[in-house]
Amino acid sequence: MGKGGEKGGESGEPEAQIRFYTWEEIQKHNLRTDKWLVIERKVYNVTTWANRHPGGQRVISHCAGEDATDAFQAFHINPTLVQKFLKPLLIGELAPGEPSHDRDKNSQLVEDFRTLRKTVEDMNLFRASPLFFSLYLGHIIVMEVLAWLMLLYFGTGWITTLILACILTTSQAQAGWLQHDFGHLSVFKKSSWNHILHKFVIGHLKGASANWWNHRHFQHHAKPNIFKKDPDVNMLHVFVLGDTQPVEYGKKKLKYLPYNHQHEYFFLIFPPLLIPVYFQIQIISTMIRRRFWADLAWAISYYMRYFITYIPFYGVLGSLSLLTFVRFLESHWFVWVTQMNHIPMEIDSEKHRDWLSSQLAATCNIEQSFFNDWFTGHLNFQIEHHLFPTMPRHNFWKVKPLVKSLCAKYGVQYEEKPLGKAFVDIVGSLKKSGDLWLDAYLHK
């Protein structure tokens, strides 16, 4: 269990000053105005620093009062650099008698997962292939150029415009998967290079904001499918998810919408409107409100390039209509792929599980094939991606057998299904939650 009270004297202070804390004490410090967390048995007070955290203050707050060792290792590609920021925040260590893990987690499982991570590092599975990502970016740029050349040669007829919209939708969807790679720091060894390319791909190729994406997406990774912590399951009363939320809504007689029909109105509002309406409003308002001026400049460069390219062919109104139509199509692609791994899984309040168990409860895989890899941006390996977010996606298939055997050893369910079934399961789980809501609404 615990490794005893090793002395953290490396920060230069006399050893006598080291304070020891129990888990009982640490768990009290999980408030907005008072946040402690534990990394490798060292206790840090991150209260004032949280607002300066590059990944956003919310993601760090979600780990307050807990052992954040695995989350810390999962998100940072250069832990020694980050240690520089951690040193001044160190306030003590876990008391020698305290276990290394909070809340009766299975310490053997936790240690085995950390050993797996070490093995994966030794296998060089965190090293990216420059050729893979160069070709990937290349195929996106080729599609953008192809779309323009097509207009040049064939004009703006209906057929050409429809084919053009499909090509642009594909390049936008694929740029979405590529920005995800840079956002997770999985391409370059240096964080700064990942950040620059991330801003280029999400900003100049897609017209969105890197900071908006980071702050939102890292919360999802730290606490997937956990209400009040994962923004991806905050459905703003439009849908009820999982098994507990519908019953709560039903008992309280909350009926913002007829949730027993949510599996039907899902088709009308979620896939068509998420990107062109909801994300669009959120991205622009976040960039202005939070003063992400660099992101705004990148986004403006996207719109300038787009309109300079297409206004000569379609005029202002035609170009705007084309852009909206492309986002409408991309939104369908994005929603079905991103929801298939999570909505049918467990969605609940915080359970304080270990890293492996919490990620596996919220995540499932889709069968591997060349098409599935390309179509989903390797999110068909969602389990491996969630366990090792900074791993380059072309290596997921290599780590998969190791993850499966670790899950089998501890009886953790590892779920994998065909692409078609995954899509059907989204609608099925929405129907199930809607039925739970109706039953509680009428009878409880």
Side-chain angles (χ1 to χ4, degrees):
M1 298 281 266
K3 290 180 288 199
E6 69 266 29
K7 298 284 180 267
E10 64 268 8
S11 47
E13 77 277 19
E15 290 190 1
Q17 283 186 359
I18 290 175
R19 294 201 52 180
F20 292 105
Y21 297 99
T22 63
W23 277 115
E24 192 183 354
E25 167 70 12
I26 292 161
Q27 281 161 9
K28 292 174 189 165
H29 299 271
N30 66 346
L31 310 169
R32 222 192 156 117
T33 51
D34 180 18
K35 303 178 186 110
W36 293 7
L37 47 80
V38 177
I39 298 169
E40 289 172 345
R41 294 191 68 87
K42 290 183 164 51
V43 183
Y44 299 93
N45 182 345
V46 296
T47 311
T48 51
W49 194 78
N51 289 329
R52 301 207 304 275
H53 182 233
Q57 58 97 8
R58 283 189 178 160
V59 68
I60 211 168
S61 306
H62 295 339
C63 297
E66 296 181 7
D67 176 31
T69 306
D70 293 306
F72 176 78
Q73 288 178 337
F75 293 128
H76 301 99
I77 56 172
N78 191 343
T80 33
L81 174 77
V82 186
Q83 285 294 343
K84 197 174 75 181
F85 295 98
L86 279 175
K87 249 182 195 174
L89 311 174
L90 183 70
I91 55 168
E93 294 181 13
L94 279 174
E98 290 288 307
S100 293
H101 323 297
D102 56 311
R103 303 173 205 267
D104 301 325
K105 289 173 184 164
N106 182 337
S107 60
Q108 198 50 56
L109 189 161
V110 175
E111 290 309 324
D112 278 3
F113 176 72
R114 289 177 189 171
T115 306
L116 171 63
R117 187 181 171 87
K118 186 83 191 71
T119 307
V120 169
E121 284 169 3
D122 294 342
M123 289 168 71
N124 279 332
L125 295 187
F126 286 96
R127 186 175 293 170
S129 155
L131 180 65
F132 175 88
F133 288 106
S134 304
L135 289 172
Y136 212 92
L137 178 60
H139 102 292
I140 292 164
I141 291 167
V142 164
M143 282 188 274
E144 295 277 334
V145 173
L146 188 69
W148 178 72
L149 286 175
M150 214 173 68
L151 284 183
L152 222 51
Y153 281 93
F154 300 109
T156 57
W158 278 106
I159 305 287
T160 318
T161 303
L162 273 174
I163 295 169
L164 169 84
C166 291
I167 294 172
L168 289 179
T169 299
T170 307
S171 84
Q172 283 296 299
Q174 292 299 331
W177 307 144
L178 184 62
Q179 69 81 19
H180 179 252
D181 298 313
F182 290 114
H184 275 297
L185 315 178
S186 70
V187 183
F188 294 105
K189 278 188 180 149
K190 286 185 74 162
S191 296
S192 52
W193 278 99
N194 284 301
H195 289 312
I196 291 163
L197 264 289
H198 187 214
K199 285 192 187 297
F200 168 75
V201 176
I202 198 172
H204 184 68
L205 295 184
K206 287 191 66 63
S209 160
N211 281 329
W212 165 81
W213 183 87
N214 286 344
H215 292 186
R216 182 187 171 93
H217 194 66
F218 295 155
Q219 290 181 71
H220 159 70
H221 267 270
K223 299 289 181 180
N225 283 12
I226 291 173
F227 290 124
K228 298 194 172 76
K229 294 190 175 184
D230 179 0
D232 290 3
V233 294
N234 174 13
M235 292 293 177
L236 307 171
H237 308 305
V238 177
F239 299 97
V240 287
L241 302 176
D243 295 343
T244 55
Q245 188 188 47
V247 176
E248 275 171 33
Y249 272 50
K251 281 180 177 170
K252 291 177 184 167
K253 309 301 173 206
L254 295 175
K255 186 186 180 178
Y256 296 93
L257 283 163
Y259 298 121
N260 49 315
H261 293 291
Q262 64 177 4
H263 60 291
E264 292 156 349
Y265 66 69
F266 166 82
F267 291 94
L268 297 174
I269 57 177
F270 203 171
L273 301 181
L274 184 72
I275 288 180
V277 179
Y278 180 61
F279 275 4
Q280 212 44 51
I281 293 166
Q282 223 189 26
I283 289 165
I284 292 166
S285 65
T286 302
M287 287 193 291
I288 294 165
R289 206 178 62 248
R290 303 284 296 277
R291 300 189 176 144
F292 296 149
W293 302 132
D295 285 7
L296 191 61
W298 278 108
I300 289 168
S301 79
Y302 160 81
Y303 287 106
M304 283 173 65
R305 174 177 60 85
Y306 174 82
F307 286 119
I308 288 166
T309 309
Y310 292 104
I311 284 176
F313 296 102
Y314 289 104
V316 177
L317 206 62
S319 302
L320 263 175
S321 305
L322 175 66
L323 179 61
T324 307
F325 182 55
V326 166
R327 292 216 160 128
F328 165 82
L329 292 176
E330 184 205 351
S331 192
H332 284 80
W333 187 335
F334 177 82
V335 166
W336 287 100
V337 169
T338 55
Q339 301 309 306
M340 66 184 181
N341 306 102
H342 295 300
I343 280 192
M345 304 304 289
E346 182 184 301
I347 304 175
D348 213 332
S349 48
E350 176 68 89
K351 291 266 204 315
H352 299 290
R353 292 188 176 107
D354 62 87
W355 182 257
L356 179 87
S357 305
S358 65
Q359 301 296 338
L360 268 287
T363 312
C364 66
N365 274 10
I366 310 305
E367 289 173 354
Q368 196 270 333
S369 71
F370 180 78
F371 174 77
N372 286 359
D373 291 353
W374 176 83
F375 183 72
T376 67
H378 286 85
L379 294 183
N380 49 334
F381 290 96
Q382 188 76 268
I383 291 172
E384 289 70 27
H385 169 57
H386 263 257
L387 292 176
F388 308 107
T390 59
M391 182 181 287
R393 56 163 130 152
H394 51 72
N395 287 336
F396 289 155
W397 66 276
K398 296 177 184 169
V399 75
K400 180 181 170 181
L402 303 176
V403 172
K404 278 184 92 165
S405 66
L406 182 62
C407 290
K409 178 178 175 181
Y410 288 99
V412 175
Q413 190 185 5
Y414 182 107
E415 196 174 330
E416 185 172 27
K417 54 179 89 159
L419 187 66
K421 183 180 184 322
F423 290 162
V424 171
D425 284 353
I426 297 175
V427 182
S429 71
L430 286 173
K431 183 176 185 336
K432 182 187 166 201
S433 299
D435 291 344
L436 285 169
W437 168 80
L438 185 64
D439 179 57
Y441 186 78
L442 295 175
H443 307 300
K444 288 183 181 174

